[in-house]
Amino acid sequence: MKYTQLFGKTLRNVHHGVKSEGFAFLLRGGFVRSNGNGLFSFLPLGNRVIRNLKRLIREEIEAIGGLEVSVPLINPIELWHRSGRDRLVGNDMVRFQDRHGHNMVLAPSHEEAFVDLVRMGLRSYRDLPAFMYQFQLKFRDEERIRNGLIRTKEFMMKDAYSFHRSASDLNIFFPKVFAAYERIFKRCGLDVLPAESGVGYMGGEKAFEFLVPSSIGDDLLIECPQCGYRANKSVAMGLKDFHTDTPLELESVDTPGCTSMEELSNFLGVEKHKLAKTMIFKTMSGLVMAVVRGDHEVSKEKLSRFLGELVLEKADKQDVEQLGFVPGYLSPIDLSSSMPLVVDGTVAKSTNLVVGGNEEGVHLKNANFGRDFESPHVADISMIRPENKCLQCGGSLQEIRALELGNIFKLEDFYSRSMGLYFQEENGKKAYPFMGSYGIGIGRLMGAIAEQLHDKRGILWPSELAPYRFFLMGIGKSDTVRQKVDSIYEKFHTDTLLDDRKESPGVKFQDAELLGIPYRIVLSSKRNQEDTVELYNRYTRQSRLVKLEDIEKTMKELQEKEVLPK
RNA sequence: CGGGGUGUAGCCUAGUGGCUAAGGCGCCUGCUUUGGGAGCAGGAGACCGCCGGUUCGAGUCCGGCCACCCCGACCA
């Protein structure tokens, strides 16, 4: 490619709102442009990176048997009725009607569409396993759009779905995808951390995320450096401490204006771990009350897991009042409602907690589980804190901010049962396949690579992802130099960006660094006299002189060899 | 969705209520220059986000709307 024919110029600066350095380089280099909040165009250079990412991912997914297909971005809502997820997903999913008044959605994920596709080809156990993937847009009307490509409304995803005859077949297959994911991220030059994660509205039993530590990530990981335990904070387990005393008598106290744990703790002069926090959540089948200690947060993932159904959100004020509760002073004591009460283990074990009085401005001191309030549902529903110890080895835990790049879910037979996808077993009986689903966000991956792999001058693309492998330029007006440049370009033009601009060498050097092209080849009349060319390595910032007669051979070798910036 | 911030030329910015809205980058023309974002000369490019108000006079003050950016959103 000749630079003069390339669309998308480099920029000297971006406005200071852009906090993410990697994203700033992507903008400055002319890789991407924003077209509105959370919406992006990929320019020729950026699109080449995307293409390379896809090629890399195809190689790894097809190496474990994946077949590439494509299902539509738009789904009839009917599909989502059948799985029941139309009621779980909420406002992330854009719904609309076509001109005939048919209800459609922009798919935020494609489990339903794949189940529907597989239905056409699945009759017998002999048709299993099936493993298919696609690169397809997802649309999620995100409430939290941020950091350029990291969190967008519309994004390309590699999503893969596997269908198995049995749970054990799925269990055998699952680690293969896990290993393929590790290879993919490694080839991208990223040190990812696999971690156990929640399942959200994807459903299913077990899930893992692949995350890269990053300050611009939205996830918190809990890790035990001693034994290697690692999980998303939303599902992480740990040894929680609790305090016990001799139970005292239940006592009412006036607590005007204390509707948060912070206020209550300050007002009473009592540490937060001696308070109990009572909250009401919505689920599809109704409301549920949860009690955790004042210094803890409810994990909706853990609560969902315990209930066996997705916890959607906090109940709103009106719902709470309608049930006869006083917002800010919720109490698990004297529950007249039939709503299930789930009590965190730490609350059940602690003594003399302060709980809401279910009366404006009143709390109750010395509440004790088993005496003042009771429930058969005692479970771990609170998030652990970094100061808690590892459940497996007792070691100290640490909290890591990280960015999720991919995930893998064991969906079991949730979708096949709800959507009626079945096959005939050897014995003639009907059976439902066990499913896995496996995603990687392509744009986010590109953003994460730019974020992780850059220096002051620009991006450091791994060689197999770089838009071009060679940046070729000549210095001076010498005709012989130009001819030699042209002759090299001719042989390597598909993998070379030839900077044929009438710019000073400095400008070209700067842009070559910014674009992160791994090798820069410079010919000049000065060097030309010695019949040598300069070969510069973007990662090491070292250059060496190669004899002109050897340069093509050297370039061929460099084309064959994949290199990471580290 | 909540809080905060910002909207001035393609990009980044300056601009006490007062003349014809300023600078840098980029762009166009010509010449010079060719090893780290070159020099000289000339030139084009702005309904100052939109609507309304205050005022003799608004880019500037007030109100509303819109867009974008940052932060927060489970602690009722």
Side-chain angles (χ1 to χ4, degrees), chain A residues 91-135:
Chain A
N91 291 334
D92 269 17
M93 185 160 75
V94 171
R95 297 144 206 256
F96 65 98
Q97 292 191 333
D98 68 10
R99 64 164 75 195
H100 304 294
H102 295 143
N103 292 305
M104 318 293 275
V105 304
L106 296 180
S109 77
H110 279 101
E111 280 74 11
E112 284 79 358
F114 268 79
V115 167
D116 198 52
L117 179 69
V118 166
R119 190 197 308 281
M120 300 169 194
L122 181 61
R123 298 286 175 273
S124 146
Y125 69 94
R126 292 196 187 90
D127 298 324
L128 294 174
F131 181 38
M132 284 181 273
Y133 76 101
Q134 67 169 351
F135 292 96

Side-chain angles (χ1 to χ4, degrees), chain A residues 294-311:
Chain A
D295 57 335
H296 283 150
E297 298 172 23
V298 174
S299 160
K300 285 199 278 185
E301 280 290 343
K302 288 183 177 179
L303 187 55
S304 301
R305 222 177 245 194
F306 176 77
L307 294 170
E309 89 175 303
L310 185 65
V311 172

Side-chain angles (χ1 to χ4, degrees), chain A residues 215-396:
Chain A
S215 60
I216 60 170
D218 283 330
D219 288 276
L220 288 173
L221 284 184
I222 298 292
E223 182 182 69
C224 172
Q226 196 167 306
C227 74
Y229 173 75
R230 201 183 295 125
N232 193 297
K233 195 177 182 186
S234 63
V235 298
M237 294 184 292
L239 290 169
K240 294 172 187 162
D241 49 352
F242 53 91
H243 304 271
T244 50
D245 281 311
T246 318
L248 303 172
E249 205 158 306
L250 197 63
E251 185 187 335
S252 141
V253 278
D254 287 341
T255 53
C258 294
T259 56
S260 73
M261 289 297 124
E262 194 67 44
E263 290 159 336
L264 184 60
S265 165
N266 289 336
F267 182 83
L268 292 176
V270 170
E271 294 154 280
K272 282 195 197 165
H273 69 258
K274 292 183 176 164
L275 312 175
K277 180 158 59 183
T278 306
M279 297 169 71
I280 297 176
F281 290 91
K282 285 186 198 168
T283 71
M284 282 318 300
S285 61
L287 298 174
V288 58
M289 179 178 270
V291 188
V292 300
R293 232 168 45 189
D295 57 335
H296 283 150
E297 298 172 23
V298 174
S299 160
K300 285 199 278 185
E301 280 290 343
K302 288 183 177 179
L303 187 55
S304 301
R305 222 177 245 194
F306 176 77
L307 294 170
E309 89 175 303
L310 185 65
V311 172
L312 299 170
E313 57 194 350
K314 250 175 32 172
D316 35 47
K317 233 171 179 164
Q318 293 91 307
D319 291 342
V320 171
E321 280 166 357
Q322 241 166 31
L323 287 167
F325 290 104
V326 180
Y329 295 91
L330 293 186
S331 176
I333 296 180
D334 292 334
L335 265 188
S336 50
S337 161
S338 62
M339 166 169 50
L341 171 66
V342 185
V343 177
D344 190 60
T346 54
V347 170
K349 287 182 209 158
S350 301
T351 52
N352 302 332
L353 293 168
V354 179
V355 304
N358 201 29
E359 190 180 325
E360 187 71 38
V362 177
H363 278 83
L364 298 171
K365 279 165 74 174
N366 305 327
N368 288 285
F369 181 75
R371 182 189 72 183
D372 306 309
F373 60 109
E374 180 59 273
S375 169
H377 310 306
V378 175
D380 173 21
I381 57 164
S382 61
M383 292 197 217
I384 66 167
R385 304 168 57 92
E387 61 265 29
N388 294 144
K389 299 292 182 195
C390 177
L391 191 63
Q392 295 186 18
C393 74
S396 294

Side-chain angles (χ1 to χ4, degrees), chain A residues 367-484:
Chain A
N368 288 285
F369 181 75
R371 182 189 72 183
D372 306 309
F373 60 109
E374 180 59 273
S375 169
H377 310 306
V378 175
D380 173 21
I381 57 164
S382 61
M383 292 197 217
I384 66 167
R385 304 168 57 92
E387 61 265 29
N388 294 144
K389 299 292 182 195
C390 177
L391 191 63
Q392 295 186 18
C393 74
S396 294
L397 298 173
Q398 54 182 345
E399 202 173 74
I400 304 169
R401 182 160 286 275
L403 177 60
E404 179 189 353
L405 298 177
N407 50 38
I408 57 179
F409 295 91
K410 277 186 195 175
L411 301 173
E412 307 291 335
D413 55 0
F414 172 79
Y415 289 91
S416 48
R417 278 187 190 278
S418 60
M419 297 184 69
L421 173 73
Y422 57 86
F423 61 95
Q424 211 168 24
E425 259 301 355
E426 219 169 349
N427 59 14
K429 290 212 171 115
K430 192 193 223 183
Y432 295 92
F434 281 69
M435 256 180 95
S437 92
Y438 320 93
I440 294 178
I442 304 301
R444 180 183 284 191
L445 179 54
M446 176 172 165
I449 293 167
E451 192 62 27
Q452 298 296 307
L453 304 176
H454 69 256
D455 59 16
K456 288 194 181 80
R457 299 172 176 79
I459 303 173
L460 303 162
W461 296 113
S463 62
E464 65 176 319
L465 298 180
Y468 294 93
R469 191 159 300 219
F470 305 110
F471 186 97
L472 176 63
M473 60 183 273
I475 295 175
K477 282 186 189 163
S478 149
D479 279 340
T480 36
V481 166
R482 211 187 52 235
Q483 278 163 19
K484 284 168 182 169

